[in-house]
Amino acid sequence: MDKIVVLDFGSQYSHLICRRIRESSVYAELVPFDISYEELQEHSPKGIIFSGGPSSVYNSKAPMPEDKIFEMNLPLLGICYGHQLIVNRFGGKVKRANREYGSSLLTVDEDRDLLNGVGRSVRAWMSHGDEAEEIPPGFQVIGHTKSARAAAIASEDRAVYGIQFHPEVVHTEQGTKILKNFVLKVCGARQDWTMEGFMESSVEKISGMEGNVLCGVSGGVDSTVAALLIHKAVGDRLKCVFVNNGLLRLDEENEIEEMFRDNFKVNFSSIDASKGFLGRLKGITDPEEKRKVVGEEFVRVFTDFAEKSDPPFKWLAQGTLYPDIIESGVSKGPAAVIKSHHNVGGLPERMNLEILEPLKELYKDEVRQIAKILNVPERLFMRHPFPGPGLSVRIIGEVTPTKLWICKVASRIVEEELLEAGLYGKVWQAYAAVGDDKAVGVVGDKRKYGSVVMIRVVDSIDAMTADWTRLPHELLEKISNRITNEIEEVTWVTYAVSSKPPATIEPQ
Ligand code: XMP
């Protein structure tokens, strides 16, 4: 398979470069900027991209790739900091400039190779403080903006290019086209990155592995796809285990069991551990404490199951995705942050098993494509994200059977109504939460003191920030009526209109 390697110099957009290239069916991988020459050679790339980054090339501590990488004579594309790096490296000059941030008009001077078919003038996203003052010998300017004379440069015979703007962000019109020109026209990469191809090669790879595989499934798309892929490769040597913690959405445990056992016919065990989880949560009101208890209990139940198995397992399968790998620090740039939500804290370390992560090269939408190919019901893979600690973070205060029931039924109503209104797929998350607040209502002629349910519906791109969704009033009214009519214990329904920040998506 042909591959493009992206050296990460720390831009928050670095992984988007890979994302965009893969949209053109060419495989791209992000690696640290200081990858060794030998390691890079092992990738056998068809071309190399230098990402953006916060540094200045003229700074003595500026991150630089290993020298020998330039001797590989591979096509090179530098983006933003990467552009300046190329200017510097090939003998041009970079200087401090007025900071430019936002959209600029790029005028295309040479409609060949990199900028071919892009149009005469397009919007391009800039975010830089330095610029090329002198371009290196043998290079020519192929695009400029009002403030950056050398916004795009090329040395076509060496296949080396630099662009000051970010083609990977959606604000750059034709950005994908520019990247596509680089990978297809300049590098000549084949478009052989397809999910069918990926499935075939991973099944082949996994079938060569010996030993039994244990896979914890949650009903989420990642663990489901990981399990099904492994099942294709090793059949009954795979055992899927589902731990019912009693904190799931209404009926979820039955749906999951039916799907794995009856639909997909995989070797499946469901452990009803709800009593243990709910018992341990009794009396606990602190949100972090609840998370900790749920995490610990999961590890206990899961390891207990694994240790008792005969014959023993050799592998522990996980639905880790590529962004998880990037987040936990494969890339050395400042964009690397450690995931804050650890649901199964320390599970792999505690179990003496080897880790199998068949999806670790994939982005979420690629996993969804595989889910489609494998006939995973659409309802499942289009379902909203659900927190690992389940409804314990949507029940404010102590988790009691009544609050749990209210939360389940009210959330089901919210989901059903959004689906019916055609809005479910358009929002990030939608659910009902409940706490200990009570409010007076009237039923017939009698006053009743009942629970207050809070509806939370948010729009978001990555859950880092979120905005509350402006749902039509009629829809809110319908949801409210259904909740108070169908759940006897509820008298009031409120709608959360706080965005993140300062609020978070989950109330606990
Ligand atoms: P917050 O509430 O932090 O949530 O704005 C951001 C996203 O993460 C989900 N979430 C969690 N997911 N374990 C998880 O797996 C957790 O402990 C957890 N807490 C929040 C939340 O649903 C939202 O999508």
Side-chain angles (χ1 to χ4, degrees):
M1 185 172 58
D2 283 353
K3 189 193 277 192
I4 302 292
V5 167
V6 179
L7 265 58
D8 180 17
F9 289 90
S11 156
Q12 55 176 322
Y13 307 128
S14 298
H15 72 279
L16 279 179
I17 305 171
C18 296
R19 198 57 230 94
R20 293 282 102 80
I21 293 175
R22 289 196 198 178
E23 280 167 14
S24 304
S25 305
V26 174
Y27 185 66
E29 200 171 313
L30 192 66
V31 300
F33 74 87
D34 56 357
I35 184 171
S36 72
Y37 168 72
E38 289 73 23
E39 263 180 277
L40 191 60
Q41 265 189 324
E42 276 170 32
H43 284 277
S44 314
K46 295 290 284 184
I48 298 176
I49 295 180
F50 298 150
S51 84
S55 315
S56 288
V57 278
Y58 45 74
N59 193 318
S60 61
K61 291 206 182 99
M64 291 288 163
E66 207 178 291
D67 253 359
K68 277 210 279 187
I69 287 175
F70 292 94
E71 289 163 24
M72 290 167 95
N73 283 328
L74 284 169
L76 292 179
L77 170 66
I79 295 173
C80 196
Y81 174 81
H83 165 67
Q84 293 150 15
L85 197 150
I86 281 176
V87 171
N88 185 272
R89 161 82 209 192
F90 286 88
K93 247 195 206 146
V94 175
K95 65 158 193 193
R96 181 124 220 98
N98 286 335
R99 223 182 113 66
E100 193 183 9
Y101 187 81
S103 173
S104 291
L105 209 56
L106 174 81
T107 303
V108 173
D109 300 309
E110 290 297 333
D111 179 26
R112 288 198 308 265
D113 285 3
L114 193 71
L115 300 182
N116 186 230
V118 164
R120 182 81 187 101
S121 120
V122 283
R123 296 247 140 237
W125 185 257
M126 297 281 198
S127 165
H128 64 111
D130 293 343
E131 68 178 21
E133 184 181 27
E134 260 174 49
I135 64 165
F139 278 73
Q140 89 180 110
V141 172
I142 57 170
H144 69 275
T145 67
K146 213 165 157 196
S147 62
R149 199 182 56 82
I153 60 167
S155 166
E156 282 176 2
D157 23 325
R158 272 178 294 189
V160 180
Y161 299 81
I163 48 182
Q164 185 54 70
F165 53 92
H166 288 269
E168 68 276 24
V169 303
V170 286
H171 314 285
T172 297
E173 292 167 354
Q174 304 287 352
T176 305
K177 170 94 183 140
I178 295 171
L179 288 171
K180 202 170 175 178
N181 281 345
F182 178 70
V183 300
L184 301 185
K185 291 195 175 146
V186 179
C187 304
R190 274 173 307 178
Q191 293 172 284
D192 51 7
W193 174 246
T194 62
M195 287 308 104
E196 286 83 359
F198 170 84
M199 281 170 60
E200 208 174 293
S201 64
S202 8
V203 167
E204 195 185 313
K205 203 156 54 183
I206 300 167
S207 26
M209 295 175 171
E210 281 177 9
N212 293 332
V213 186
L214 172 65
C215 183
V217 291
S218 65
V221 67
D222 305 340
S223 58
T224 304
V225 169
L228 295 181
L229 212 58
I230 297 169
H231 184 242
K232 266 182 168 299
V234 306
D236 274 355
R237 277 197 286 129
L238 167 75
K239 176 91 182 182
C240 290
V241 181
F242 169 68
V243 176
N244 174 6
N245 60 12
L247 300 161
L248 305 162
R249 290 167 283 198
L250 192 66
D251 235 14
E252 200 167 3
E253 55 278 24
N254 298 325
E255 288 172 15
I256 292 170
E257 177 152 3
E258 197 184 300
M259 178 174 70
F260 277 96
R261 194 166 277 156
D262 305 339
N263 237 4
F264 292 124
K265 306 207 177 341
V266 305
N267 200 347
F268 178 86
S269 286
S270 172
I271 307 173
D272 183 1
S274 50
K275 276 208 183 91
F277 277 84
L278 300 180
R280 280 202 59 193
L281 283 169
K282 231 182 199 146
I284 301 179
T285 54
D286 179 72
E288 282 309 308
E289 185 69 18
K290 286 198 265 184
R291 275 200 174 74
K292 205 173 119 222
V293 164
V294 176
E296 279 173 7
E297 190 62 12
F298 179 85
V299 171
R300 199 187 62 72
V301 173
F302 196 79
T303 35
D304 208 41
F305 174 87
E307 279 158 9
K308 282 192 192 130
S309 290
D310 188 25
F313 293 104
K314 176 162 187 225
W315 301 95
L316 176 67
Q318 300 202 311
T320 317
L321 303 190
Y322 193 46
D324 304 332
I325 304 253
I326 296 177
E327 277 190 5
S328 40
V330 161
S331 110
K332 292 185 183 166
V337 288
I338 305 299
K339 241 190 156 166
S340 52
H341 299 308
H342 286 284
N343 301 322
V344 292
L347 182 62
E349 296 82 38
R350 282 184 50 159
M351 304 177 85
N352 200 11
L353 299 175
E354 288 177 54
I355 305 293
L356 178 57
E357 297 173 314
L359 312 180
K360 68 169 190 275
E361 283 143 17
L362 304 184
Y363 286 97
K364 188 86 172 183
D365 56 311
E366 291 173 328
V367 174
R368 289 196 172 129
Q369 283 178 46
I370 300 188
K372 239 184 189 162
I373 300 171
L374 290 172
N375 289 325
V376 174
E378 186 167 357
R379 198 179 108 64
L380 185 138
F381 66 82
M382 294 317 284
R383 210 159 185 188
H384 293 159
F386 188 64
L391 298 181
S392 74
V393 297
R394 293 183 179 169
I395 292 172
I396 303 168
E398 186 181 356
V399 178
T400 64
T402 310
K403 280 156 82 184
L404 194 53
W405 180 246
I406 293 175
C407 193
K408 285 186 182 209
V409 179
S411 290
R412 167 62 66 91
I413 293 172
V414 173
E415 283 194 17
E416 278 176 1
E417 289 304 325
L418 263 87
L419 273 170
E420 178 153 333
L423 292 172
Y424 182 85
K426 298 198 171 124
V427 303
W428 176 264
Q429 265 170 312
Y431 63 85
V434 65
D436 295 312
D437 283 351
K438 297 271 166 123
V440 176
V442 277
V443 180
D445 294 334
K446 284 204 197 107
R447 283 164 70 83
K448 190 172 102 182
Y449 206 40
S451 284
V452 179
V453 158
M454 177 183 80
I455 307 301
R456 181 81 161 138
V457 185
V458 294
D459 301 315
S460 177
I461 294 172
D462 55 9
M464 302 298 283
T465 59
D467 196 11
W468 62 280
T469 308
R470 274 60 171 177
L471 287 185
H473 290 176
E474 299 69 30
L475 179 58
L476 285 169
E477 184 182 12
K478 194 167 174 212
I479 292 173
S480 165
N481 283 344
R482 275 196 63 191
I483 292 177
T484 46
N485 285 340
E486 293 174 34
I487 314 173
E488 216 181 299
E489 293 83 354
V490 181
T491 44
W492 282 44
V493 176
T494 63
Y495 190 54
V497 290
S498 298
S499 293
K500 173 181 181 176
T504 52
I505 295 177
E506 305 289 353
Q508 290 239 303

